[in-house]
Every structure is written in C-alpha cells, then in structure tokens.
Amino acid sequence: MTDAAPAPTTDAALAPTARAAVIDIGSNSVRLVVFEGATRAPLPVFNERVLCGLGRNLASAGDLAPEAAAQAHTAIARYATLCRRMAIEAPIVVATAAVREAANGEAFVAEVAERSGLDVRVLSGRQEAEAAAAGVAAAFPGAAGVMGDLGGGSLELVGLGGHGAETDDVVGEGITLPLGPLRLAGGSAEAVDAALAEASWLAGRGGDFFAVGGTWRALARIHMAQARYPLRVVHHYALARAEAETFSEMMAGLGPDSLAGIPSINRARLAALPAAALVLNRLLTRIQPRNLLISAWGLREGLLFQQLPPERQGLDPLIESCRAFARQTSRDATLGGAFGDELAAWMAPLFDGENAAEKRLRLAACLLSDVAWRAHPDYRAERAVEGTLYAPFTGIDHPGRGFLALAVNARYAGDTSRTARALVDEDQARRAERVGLALRLAQTYSGGLPGLVAASGLEIRGRQLLFRVPAADRALLNDTVQRRLVALAEAFGMESAVEKGDR
C-alpha cells in the first residue's frame, strides 16, 4: 500500500480570492489585465492594451502630448467601466516613466481621478523596477542574474539573487535609465554604453538576463519565426548569449524598408525594434549572462505578487497552475489536490533517484492526467497535448512543457507530438513516456476514483515491475489493467507481475 500523501498547502486550500485587475499607464501603452484571482499563479481572463505613446514628447517637449493624453483618458475610462461591471472594487492603477517625468504629469493624474474615479499611483523608478523584478522572480523561482524591463520611456534594471540582494529578498541593486525606445530613436551604441556605465554592478555580473517588455517580446517572436522554433510561447523562450548578441546586432541595424517587411508585428512596435535591439545588445555585452530569457511576467504580475500574503508567495507557480487547471478540467476536482498527490506518491518507487526538478514535473503530470476526459475519445490525446503545451503555465521552461505534453500523450495512448518531442532530449522523452504509462495504468485501474490507487502499490523487484493489489480490490484487475501493466513494465525493460493480497 502507498502511504497517504500529506495534504499540501495550495491556493485552493487558502481563502478564496475575487478577481483582481491592474491598469498600467505606461510610456508606450495603456493596458488593463484582469486576473481570475489574486493567487500564486493568477490566470488572466481579460487583457487589452492601447498604444497611446504617452512618452513620445518627453525628450523634445518634456510633457505628455495632448492627443496621446486624450487617447489614454479614453482607454482608462473604458477600463474603469469594465472593472466596475466585473465587480472589481479596487483595481491597482499605476503610472510609470512618462507620467512620472512629464511636466503635466500631475495634471494628467488629477484628470484621471475626475473622469474615471481612479486613484493613480505614480511609481518611482525604484518602485517600478522592484515590481517588475518581483514579477520575474515569481515566474522564475530561483532566478539569478539581472532583470531588465524596457518600457517606452525608460529601462529598469534590477539584480536578482546574490550580489547585493538582501538575505531574505531576491531583489538587489537597481537603477532606472532613460533608455526607452521613444527616447532613443537614432541613438548610438556609445550613448547606450555611457548610460549603462552608471550601473557599475552590471559589468560581468553573469547569471541570466531576464527581458521584460512588449518590444523585447516582439524581438523574440521574430527570432522564433526565423529559427522555425516549434513552440510559439514567448514566455521562457531562451537564447544562449552568443546567439542573442548576433541577432540583436542584426536587428539594431535594420532600416525602415527592412522593418516594413516583418510580418505579424504591430506597426506601432516596428519603429521601436532597432532601438530595443540596440539596448539589448549592449546589455548582453556588458552583463555577459549565460542566457537571454524572455519573461511575459513583469510589472503587472509583480504588483499582484507583492500584495499576496507570505503563505501564497511561497507556493510553487507551476504546481498551482496545474492544480487550478485540473480543478477546472478533470472529472474529479480532487485531481487538483489530494488525488494528484496520491498518484505521484503511488508511482514514486519507480523513479528512485530522481532530482527535485524531475519530481516536480512528475507531480505536475499527475495533476494533469485527466484534463482531456471531456473530449471525444478519438481526440483526447490531441486535446491533452495541446492543452498542456499551450496552457498559460508559468514556472516552467519549454523542455518542461514538452515533457508534460509527452507524459499526458502517453497517458492517452496518442501518437507522439512532433512539437513536444522537439523540445526534449532522449532521456526526458523516455522518462515522460514512463510517467504517462504509469498514469494510464492508475486511471484505468481506479476508474479515476481517489483512494483505490493509494491502497495498491508499485515496486521494482529485481527485473520485475510488481503491482500489489489488496484483496478487497482484486476484482478491479481485468485484461485491460493487465495490458496497461505490461506496457508500463516494458517501458522500463522489465517483466510485469501482480501480487494479490490474501485478505
């Protein structure tokens, strides 16, 4: 028998939360994001932006252009109305560099309050940097290196982990620099280098560079298309420094005609690409990171994370994402809680010696093992693979997504997904198949009911994979269960055996 897994602390076990919203008044865009709840892995249920260009006049005139401000007020009024209709009583409303630095910034904030009834919090450069860094740290547990958040009017840089970070805080040194694309059009590498020199702590820092901001995400999408990368999920897209330096240098040199030929990028973003690429290139040269990592989480997610109580902040974002997904899609909501943990504990003897990262992915696969039951039987594997590959999970890299997709594919006996297979190596693919076949056996044997699996047990004994079944449940053993057991044993290169309890 498998020992019952202790009940984990989860978002669902804590007090439920109402929808939360962030209105971000930036130098380039004004955006509303509504989250399903203020949880460790908040799921966006509405996301809209308007590219107003509030900061495009800062360098030349020092104020917010009237037409840009008018467009922003229209967008904010819409967002305020949506929040009221969604019963969101206190959306988080923040303004960044453009409003912070503009001569008419205070007047703009006062007009927002008068028109829309919203209190705008104008973030200092340090507050903006810390919130963005909190978003990255929340999405990349254990992040170490430098976070850069490139807005239209400024660049926020923060050290993550070590090198000046406080003992109980991953956020270390930080600086705000006037290197946003709206200010840097036509700027030179020398000018960027001179600005970056103000942050002496950047030089040779190493670690990874975590890039936040819509224009850097646009650059990543272009690289994905050029490389014919199999997965079009920009979050956690990774490039080795040398490749990122070469690509950013090329993009920084593009002229208007070349930019016009780039498909699938918002025209308002295109003009900012060379300046954004130049800043990225000079940062990579100065920091010398191992990798460039793209983060879809930043300021908005960081603001939400900062408001969470410590017990929520300490949860694993991937596992909480999977628990929430399972509760919404599985036959039994307990797959998002005790049953998922039961499955992971039941098969653990087959994976003796796994490291913490492997154990974490195996638990995630267990939580996702029933996500396609509502689909037509002929399409369950396809539905499960697509749902896993493209779900809005965080705290997971692309090979991890590939692993989970291959595991649920094996659980549903589907044809191997070429996209998922391209993301993992041989060892990961083999391990994913074994996890998936164990889940297939468990779900068939138990009928998806909690408790039955925990009463049984798996064991590797010599060259045998042994399935122990208590006497009270012997009737659950049929030909289908036996075939599932044989398939699992063969995946381990072993013979299968059943040990039936006497009473």
Side-chain angles (χ1 to χ4, degrees), residues 346-399:
W346 171 78
M347 69 172 69
L350 304 184
F351 299 96
D352 187 40
E354 67 186 350
N355 60 38
E358 292 168 338
K359 183 178 181 180
R360 177 176 180 257
L361 283 177
R362 184 168 60 80
L363 172 57
C366 291
L367 295 169
L368 299 174
S369 63
D370 204 35
V371 295
W373 77 274
R374 285 185 173 89
H376 187 282
D378 293 342
Y379 292 94
R380 282 178 183 159
E382 181 179 334
R383 178 76 173 270
V385 168
E386 288 183 354
T388 303
L389 276 176
Y390 309 130
F393 298 147
T394 192
I396 185 171
D397 59 15
H398 289 187

Side-chain angles (χ1 to χ4, degrees), residues 371-438:
V371 295
W373 77 274
R374 285 185 173 89
H376 187 282
D378 293 342
Y379 292 94
R380 282 178 183 159
E382 181 179 334
R383 178 76 173 270
V385 168
E386 288 183 354
T388 303
L389 276 176
Y390 309 130
F393 298 147
T394 192
I396 185 171
D397 59 15
H398 289 187
R401 284 180 180 270
F403 176 91
L404 293 181
L406 291 176
V408 296
N409 183 71
R411 178 265 184 269
Y412 286 106
D415 296 329
T416 300
S417 163
R418 286 183 294 178
T419 298
R421 183 62 186 84
L423 297 172
V424 301
D425 61 26
E426 285 289 342
D427 288 342
Q428 291 169 314
R430 185 181 306 110
R431 180 180 170 81
E433 181 188 24
R434 291 173 175 177
V435 171
L437 291 173

Side-chain angles (χ1 to χ4, degrees), residues 14-313:
L14 300 171
T17 65
R19 282 186 172 181
V22 178
I23 298 175
D24 176 8
I25 305 169
S27 300
N28 195 38
S29 65
V30 176
R31 185 186 293 265
L32 166 67
V33 183
V34 178
F35 298 95
E36 191 173 53
T39 64
R40 180 60 181 86
L43 178 67
V45 295
F46 184 80
N47 190 332
E48 181 178 292
R49 71 165 186 204
V50 177
L51 293 170
C52 302
L54 275 176
R56 64 174 176 258
N57 267 19
L58 277 180
S60 59
D63 61 7
L64 306 176
E67 65 276 12
Q71 191 177 9
H73 282 302
T74 299
I76 294 167
R78 167 177 161 79
Y79 296 161
T81 300
L82 286 173
C83 286
R84 286 193 292 270
R85 293 300 179 92
M86 293 182 187
I88 300 170
E89 296 181 358
I92 300 170
V93 188
V94 297
T96 56
V99 175
R100 180 171 67 236
E101 299 176 19
N104 56 347
E106 289 186 8
F108 175 85
V109 169
E111 190 169 350
V112 170
E114 182 179 347
R115 288 190 179 196
S116 304
L118 298 174
D119 292 326
V120 180
R121 177 187 173 199
V122 181
L123 300 178
S124 68
R126 178 64 184 180
Q127 289 171 331
E128 183 179 354
E130 287 181 347
V136 169
F140 295 80
V146 177
M147 184 285 307
D149 183 1
L150 185 68
S154 65
L155 169 67
E156 278 67 49
L157 295 167
V158 177
L160 297 175
H163 294 282
E166 297 176 8
T167 304
D168 297 323
D169 193 351
V170 297
V171 177
E173 312 93 329
I175 192 171
T176 297
L177 299 171
L179 290 177
L182 293 177
R183 289 174 161 173
L184 199 61
S188 65
E190 291 76 16
V192 175
D193 287 343
L196 294 178
E198 294 183 33
S200 59
W201 52 271
L202 285 176
R205 182 177 177 115
D208 293 315
F209 180 66
F210 300 86
V212 178
T215 310
W216 277 343
R217 289 195 297 273
L219 287 172
R221 291 189 181 96
I222 293 170
H223 187 274
M224 284 177 156
Q226 289 185 351
R228 297 186 178 181
Y229 189 70
L231 184 65
R232 297 298 175 89
V233 174
V234 72
H235 182 62
H236 221 305
Y237 186 56
L239 286 176
R241 182 182 74 243
E243 186 172 1
E245 285 180 335
T246 299
F247 174 71
S248 58
E249 183 177 16
M250 181 271 293
M251 291 298 301
L254 293 184
D257 291 341
S258 298
L259 291 171
I262 297 176
S264 305
I265 299 296
N266 189 299
R267 293 184 63 183
R269 290 271 189 218
L270 283 176
L273 290 179
L278 175 62
V279 173
L280 178 60
N281 181 266
R282 304 318 301 159
L283 277 167
L284 294 172
T285 300
R286 186 168 185 81
I287 298 169
Q288 294 290 292
R290 289 185 301 270
N291 301 295
L292 164 67
L293 296 173
I294 304 297
S295 177
W297 279 36
L299 175 70
R300 293 172 289 275
E301 294 76 13
L303 290 167
L304 205 61
F305 181 77
Q306 288 175 330
Q307 293 193 350
L308 295 181
E311 60 268 25
R312 286 194 192 271
Q313 289 186 349

